[in-house]
Amino acid sequence: QVQLVESGGGSVQTGGSLRLSCTASGLSFEQYDMGWFRQAPGKEREGVAASAFDGAARYAESVKGRFTISRDTGKNTMSLQMMDLRPEDTAMYYCAVVRNGNPGQWYEEYEYNYWGQGTQVTVST
């Protein structure tokens, strides 16, 4: 049974940093493409960043230069380092994985098979 568990969310002020983690069980990370999504109240879920099984990283324009996605296959853990946080980054953040995903569609929810329960990030002014 595949399970993804996010952690690391919290409340910070504008300009602050947070590091989210996603720990997986029931699968071998090195065979999966992974992504981080977020959903703010009243908005659709959007792709934030993705890490392909070959290590290629992709980011939404809104977070480029501020967020960094990484993975530790030995620990079956994926991370999202978030810096220079802004109020518009406030959302529930989710990790997701898919095997043999379409890199061109990394930002689409339907590409992913398994999802975590989410961790809340709140950025205040």
Side-chain angles (χ1 to χ4, degrees), residues 10-120:
S11 297
V12 297
Q13 292 187 326
T14 297
S17 301
L18 283 172
R19 185 178 181 88
L20 306 183
S21 294
C22 173
T23 301
S25 58
L27 57 82
S28 296
F29 243 23
E30 65 268 18
Q31 299 175 354
Y32 283 76
D33 301 320
M34 302 178 293
W36 283 99
F37 285 73
R38 67 186 180 187
Q39 187 168 22
K43 294 187 177 181
E44 294 186 353
R45 193 175 299 189
E46 63 174 352
V48 175
S51 172
F53 73 94
D54 61 0
R58 294 171 176 83
Y59 299 92
E61 285 297 326
S62 60
V63 306
K64 276 184 179 178
R66 300 188 298 123
F67 291 11
T68 303
I69 190 171
S70 62
R71 65 168 77 191
D72 184 335
T73 55
K75 296 181 179 179
N76 257 19
T77 300
M78 172 176 66
S79 297
L80 185 69
Q81 178 67 49
M82 306 186 296
M83 302 178 67
D84 189 24
L85 284 162
R86 305 166 182 171
E88 54 264 38
D89 295 317
T90 295
M92 184 73 78
Y93 283 71
Y94 301 87
C95 65
V97 299
V98 61
R99 190 167 181 174
N100 298 324
N102 181 348
Q105 302 294 319
W106 69 267
Y107 50 87
E108 297 285 5
E109 286 187 73
Y110 59 73
E111 276 291 304
Y112 296 84
N113 304 118
Y114 302 103
W115 292 80
Q117 83 291 345
T119 186
Q120 178 68 38

